[in-house]
Amino acid sequence: MRKTLAALLLMLSSQQVLHAQQNQANWTASWIETSTDEAPNRPAQYYRTTFDLKKKIKSATLFITSHGMYEARINGKRVGDSYLTPGWTSYYKRLQYQQYDVKALITKGKNAVGVAVGNGWSRSSLGWGDNKNHWGKKLGLLAELRVVYTDGSKETISTNNTWKTANGEIQGNEIYDGEAVDHTLTQKNWDNVAFNDAAWKPVAVATFNNDNLIPTENETVKKHETFKPVKILTTPKGEKVIDFGQNLVGWVMVKAKGKSGDHITIQHAEVLDREGNFYTANLRVAKATANYTLNGDAAGETFEPHFTFYGFRYIKIEGYPGEITPENFTAVALYSDMKPTGTFECSNPLLNQLQHNITWGQRGNFLDVPTDCPQRDERLGWTGDAQAFFSTAAYNFNVKQFFTKWLKDVAADQREDGAISHVVPNVLGNWEFGSTGWGDVATIVPWEMYEVYGDKQILVNQYESMKKWIGYMESHTNKDNLYHYGFHYGDWLSYRPGNDDGTEAITDKYQIAQCFFAYSTQLLINSAKVLGKTDDVTRYEALLKRLKDAFNKEYVTGSGRLMSNTQTAYVLALQFDMLPEGEPRKKAAAYLAENVALYNNHLTTGFVGTPYLCHVLSKNGYADLSYTLLLQDTFPSWLYPVKKGATTIWERWDGIKPDGEFQTTVMNSFNHYAYGAIGNWMYKNITGIQAAEPGYKKIIIKPIIGGKLTWAKASFNSVNGAISSDWKIENGKLTLKVTVPKGTTAEVNVPDAAGKDYKTYNVSAGTYTYTR
């Protein structure tokens, strides 16, 4: 039965991207480009060829990549269901190609291949200013179709000087600005054999070193959930707006009937302003617009983009011919095809909405690389955001391949001196390197990946990059073993009310840097132990001692307070074991709790302190305070945006202020996953699912009862199988049901209904129910 099912799944997955190695030395294809001058609007370029297959076909495989993004078609049908291919990597060093089984699309006799190529990440303006053509000025295509006949003979159809090129309906396409599609310029059947391409131009053959070509390493971007309008409204300004009810990343499929030349404009926004009008000021210079021109087809026309994406909940529509009705507009979510692994739910609906927002922030920003935001003129792979969120991300989805691929780009863009770029792939230039908390992605994510998936290979892959990052910091350490060097973002977007009463939670950046330097060193030591690198263990343990000694001498007062008396300062010192065991740590935890009380039980942490805040409190005897912070619903808190109607995580704690006004337009994303890092505390502590050994070979279940919750349940599909924890309190008794997968063991800690007393059970695989 399993073999039959496997065969069926294999058949159904034809045309999907195949993850197989194509020896680059075997490429017979040539890179092809347009031979004519490009129009100012930088339209997509279309390429085509025809070929004749003389024999019965056994198999047919298409290998393809591009400079820019491509969509391939064979005999009028789309190849595969991946979008925004070939994906985003550090192209000069690593350019992915895809491999598709296309036997079902070709036939004995005459066939046609057509490929449209748009600007994509390679040529679109990225970052700030006129930063176009980061990886080249011209679009290009490299493809070959390998056919094996039933008699064992083979034939290859490759891109070469016989192909032709032209422009078509995609008249403009940029990542930030959107796409323009003009159906009056559609070349009907351009991807079929019968099409007359006499007016098309010959291509130009270009020569490139293909050493950067690599097979696809992660899940490609695909279409996922769809949304119909939940409301069609006219704003106070008279704008025609559709609300899809969810802030998402992707685009809107539009159906329309009208006259030839009718023009539809669709703008995208995350929020409406306080008066209920369409709001795009936070997109900065990104136009985020779709422009569609009708050809007058009486049967109706359908539009959707190909080489861009938008971050939005709302769209504003202008020029639509006829009444705007729900059936003609469908929002489609695009993100990397990661498989869901975790679920969390509890008796508090606000926490359930928070979990919803966390997962949708991840969906929207895990679009081939982990981006900071999906809507404005940024959408970059910020390293600090990624390291802060990784642990939560790995609960929600299987991100092993996603991060395996991206970490190789982290290493590829790493400077020779070991500095890590602030964004990966790096489009910001040589100055954007070296900030702690951001550069530490090189150590934190590989180690956390090993903990989650139990695969040493990720440590093997990244070990030299990890060492180089430590080496960079070590090379800039002063004679007192303090890392007082360079630019650091610090505790980005921490609580800063903007007054002069001394309540702004500003943590010294070098104090933060010393903590992260030590933590990364510890993770390198851990990795060296796993890989058997004993000399490195000895060397870096000595370095770690010097760093901690220097920290305590420089930043800890005689009473045990820290120089920066902030929540983040205490959180990092405790989380990263910077303080001696015993009384110094006990004092620091008390000072942290005191600081939380000073702000009326609100957090004040930013990007580097927030991921660890509740963990530190719960590990140091303040679990109730962790719950208090988690359930706080006034600014600043996790639930404040939830009560403001958020459907994703915000960049700022007060993206929308209590009076309804917005934070500064300079930086105010409403889809920014970093503060969603609280998700792993919810999995690990509310439902108690933790890894005691890498890969969850041994599991700890230890739920913390609190927050007036009466039940909570979570599941996590580990590499060894499904783990679940489900507890409820009824009639003064707690019942805990757990599932432990085959091949693993678990330490199950069962609390009483008050959460004060635990009984411990060591169990093997199975399902268990406990009542206390």
Side-chain angles (χ1 to χ4, degrees):
M1 175 64 181
R2 288 185 177 179
K3 288 184 178 180
T4 303
L5 178 60
L8 176 61
L9 291 173
L10 182 61
M11 180 183 71
L12 292 175
S13 67
S14 64
Q15 297 185 49
Q16 307 300 306
V17 173
L18 306 175
H19 295 264
Q21 180 75 44
Q22 150 81 324
N23 187 333
Q24 67 185 41
N26 292 334
W27 283 92
T28 62
S30 300
W31 281 95
I32 57 174
E33 301 174 340
T34 182
S35 57
T36 59
D37 292 337
E38 184 177 59
N41 55 319
R42 306 201 326 157
Q45 291 170 6
Y46 292 72
Y47 300 92
R48 64 171 265 119
T49 193
T50 58
F51 54 95
D52 197 355
L53 300 179
K54 302 294 187 182
K55 304 175 185 178
K56 188 175 180 181
I57 301 162
K58 178 181 179 182
S59 66
T61 307
L62 178 66
F63 297 88
I64 183 170
T65 189
S66 60
H67 295 152
M69 290 177 185
Y70 74 83
E71 284 189 4
R73 304 179 67 83
I74 296 178
N75 295 329
K77 295 182 179 179
R78 196 181 194 278
V79 174
D81 58 357
S82 298
Y83 290 83
L84 312 184
T85 47
W88 194 11
T89 50
S90 300
Y91 293 129
Y92 286 145
K93 295 181 180 179
R94 293 165 36 80
L95 173 60
Q96 293 186 130
Y97 58 83
Q98 284 71 48
Q99 179 178 342
Y100 302 91
D101 178 355
V102 294
K103 181 186 176 186
L105 298 183
I106 66 172
T107 184
K108 181 180 178 181
K110 292 187 179 298
N111 295 267
V113 175
V115 183
V117 180
N119 294 320
W121 291 288
S122 180
R123 295 209 313 166
S124 287
S125 181
L126 297 172
W128 305 285
D130 188 19
N131 195 16
K132 292 187 175 75
N133 304 325
H134 193 84
W135 283 279
K137 294 183 178 180
K138 302 199 76 173
L139 299 175
L141 174 66
L142 182 73
E144 63 184 57
L145 175 61
R146 293 185 166 197
V147 178
V148 178
Y149 296 112
T150 55
D151 66 2
S153 59
K154 300 176 182 179
E155 185 171 355
T156 300
I157 296 89
S158 301
T159 46
N160 56 33
N161 60 4
T162 66
W163 285 55
K164 290 189 171 184
T165 184
N167 297 140
E169 64 180 34
I170 303 174
Q171 285 294 294
N173 60 104
E174 301 285 343
I175 298 292
Y176 295 161
D177 290 344
E179 191 160 312
V181 178
D182 186 344
H183 277 184
T184 68
L185 300 176
T186 299
Q187 303 217 34
K188 192 174 181 180
N189 296 320
W190 69 277
D191 49 6
N192 273 297
V193 171
F195 180 77
N196 182 354
D197 61 11
W200 285 43
K201 304 295 184 183
V203 299
V205 172
T207 300
F208 292 93
N209 184 337
N210 287 341
D211 288 347
N212 62 336
L213 295 182
I214 57 172
T216 301
E217 295 181 320
N218 65 330
E219 302 87 351
T220 53
V221 173
K222 294 186 178 181
K223 289 181 175 179
H224 292 275
E225 297 85 352
T226 59
F227 297 84
K228 299 301 291 184
V230 298
K231 188 183 297 184
I232 298 175
L233 54 99
T234 300
T235 70
K237 289 184 177 180
E239 304 153 317
K240 299 298 182 182
V241 171
I242 288 179
D243 176 6
F244 289 101
Q246 173 63 52
N247 196 3
L248 69 136
V249 176
W251 56 57
V252 178
M253 298 176 64
V254 179
K255 296 179 180 179
K257 287 185 181 180
K259 303 185 301 296
S260 178
D262 281 351
H263 184 80
I264 304 169
T265 300
I266 296 178
Q267 291 179 270
H268 300 75
E270 298 182 289
V271 292
L272 302 180
D273 68 16
R274 184 166 57 178
E275 289 74 34
N277 294 307
F278 198 70
Y279 180 82
T280 58
N282 69 315
L283 306 188
R284 302 190 302 218
V285 303
K287 296 178 182 177
T289 301
N291 289 284
Y292 299 136
T293 303
L294 280 68
N295 63 13
D297 190 329
E301 303 170 51
T302 299
F303 295 89
E304 66 176 324
H306 304 263
F307 303 127
T308 191
F309 56 91
Y310 308 93
F312 67 100
R313 172 175 170 171
Y314 302 91
I315 60 171
K316 182 175 77 173
I317 307 160
E318 296 176 318
Y320 187 81
E323 183 182 359
I324 296 172
T325 57
E327 60 267 24
N328 291 324
F329 296 86
T330 303
V332 182
L334 287 177
Y335 52 88
S336 291
D337 195 30
M338 311 164 293
K339 302 308 175 190
T341 51
T343 62
F344 173 90
E345 191 177 3
C346 70
S347 58
N348 187 318
L350 292 178
L351 291 185
N352 295 337
Q353 184 64 44
L354 175 63
Q355 171 66 11
H356 170 97
N357 294 2
I358 291 169
T359 59
W360 272 97
Q362 182 173 351
R363 286 180 174 97
N365 283 294
F366 278 39
L367 193 87
D368 207 59
V369 304
T371 59
D372 59 325
C373 61
Q375 74 296 91
R376 68 187 181 212
D377 57 339
E378 198 160 348
R379 315 185 198 188
L380 305 177
W382 282 93
T383 49
D385 304 51
Q387 70 84 7
F389 187 68
F390 173 82
S391 181
T392 296
Y395 272 112
N396 294 328
F397 290 89
N398 186 331
V399 294
K400 182 181 181 183
Q401 293 307 120
F402 181 89
F403 274 99
T404 295
K405 170 255 195 182
W406 185 71
L407 283 173
K408 290 180 181 178
D409 290 306
V410 170
D413 280 347
Q414 189 170 15
R415 263 187 350 209
E416 285 300 314
D417 64 359
I420 299 291
S421 55
H422 298 169
V423 301
V424 175
N426 180 30
V427 297
L428 298 183
N430 198 48
W431 65 275
E432 288 282 5
F433 281 81
S435 172
T436 49
W438 276 247
D440 299 285
V441 72
T443 54
I444 293 173
V445 173
W447 179 253
E448 290 186 349
M449 285 184 70
Y450 172 66
E451 289 186 310
V452 174
Y453 301 112
D455 186 354
K456 294 181 183 179
Q457 188 59 47
I458 186 63
L459 299 180
V460 173
N461 292 349
Q462 300 301 131
Y463 189 76
E464 289 307 313
S465 174
M466 297 167 79
K467 281 186 68 173
K468 285 177 66 178
W469 170 238
I470 299 298
Y472 171 78
M473 292 186 285
E474 188 177 13
S475 70
H476 294 292
T477 301
N478 67 21
K479 62 181 177 61
D480 297 318
N481 294 302
L482 293 169
Y483 184 42
H484 285 184
Y485 176 81
F487 169 81
H488 302 276
Y489 287 103
D491 195 27
W492 190 248
L493 294 181
S494 60
Y495 176 69
R496 299 184 185 187
N499 51 40
D500 296 323
D501 63 358
T503 58
E504 294 201 342
I506 300 175
T507 309
D508 182 82
K509 292 181 179 180
Y510 289 144
Q511 183 174 334
I512 292 172
Q514 191 78 3
C515 289
F516 272 98
F517 186 5
Y519 184 49
S520 279
T521 302
Q522 180 65 69
L523 297 183
L524 182 62
I525 293 166
N526 296 350
S527 302
K529 289 179 178 178
V530 171
L531 300 178
K533 297 179 180 293
T534 54
D535 288 347
D536 281 355
V537 172
T538 301
R539 180 189 185 294
Y540 291 109
E541 282 182 341
L543 171 62
L544 181 60
K545 183 180 185 305
R546 294 196 299 272
L547 295 174
K548 289 185 177 182
D549 288 347
F551 176 87
N552 282 272
K553 183 178 180 181
E554 180 77 5
Y555 297 113
V556 184
T557 69
S559 64
R561 289 191 184 273
L562 298 182
M563 187 185 80
S564 292
N565 189 40
T566 64
Q567 292 173 23
T568 288
Y570 291 109
V571 164
L572 296 183
L574 288 165
Q575 180 69 20
F576 296 161
D577 293 329
M578 300 300 291
L579 305 172
E581 293 184 5
E583 194 64 20
R585 296 190 187 187
K586 185 178 179 180
K587 283 185 177 181
Y591 289 141
L592 171 60
E594 177 187 275
N595 190 281
V596 172
L598 180 66
Y599 289 90
N600 296 318
N601 290 331
H602 286 78
L603 54 77
T604 62
T605 50
F607 274 33
V608 301
T610 297
Y612 308 113
L613 174 59
C614 286
H615 289 285
V616 166
L617 288 169
S618 56
K619 284 189 296 187
N620 288 277
Y622 296 91
D624 288 346
L625 189 52
S626 291
Y627 266 111
T628 298
L629 288 175
L630 175 64
L631 295 172
Q632 181 64 258
D633 61 7
T634 56
F635 164 74
S637 68
W638 284 286
L639 295 186
Y640 171 76
V642 170
K643 296 197 77 172
K644 282 289 187 179
T647 61
T648 46
I649 299 297
W650 292 356
E651 179 177 23
R652 293 176 175 271
W653 294 119
D654 61 341
I656 301 175
K657 297 179 181 181
D659 64 1
E661 284 296 315
F662 292 117
Q663 259 285 2
T664 173
T665 59
V666 173
M667 193 170 59
N668 196 23
S669 161
F670 294 97
N671 193 349
H672 226 88
Y673 56 68
Y675 286 143
I678 186 61
N680 76 349
W681 188 88
M682 293 159 64
Y683 278 103
K684 287 183 177 180
N685 292 278
I686 296 180
T687 55
I689 298 176
Q690 304 171 37
E693 293 180 3
Y696 290 83
K697 188 68 176 175
K698 183 176 180 180
I699 302 156
I700 293 175
I701 304 290
K702 190 176 182 179
I704 296 176
I705 309 304
K708 297 182 179 180
L709 298 181
T710 57
W711 61 268
K713 59 183 178 180
S715 64
F716 174 64
N717 191 23
S718 75
V719 292
N720 285 299
I723 305 165
S724 66
S725 172
D726 182 348
W727 62 263
K728 64 180 178 180
I729 299 173
E730 288 183 332
N731 302 319
K733 290 190 175 183
L734 180 140
T735 300
L736 171 64
K737 183 177 181 180
V738 301
T739 299
V740 179
K742 290 182 179 180
T744 68
T745 60
E747 176 189 293
V748 181
N749 300 273
V750 185
D752 60 16
K756 302 299 182 184
D757 177 59
Y758 285 84
K759 288 187 177 180
T760 301
Y761 304 85
N762 292 295
V763 300
S764 56
T767 298
Y768 304 88
T769 301
Y770 307 92
T771 300
R772 292 196 63 195

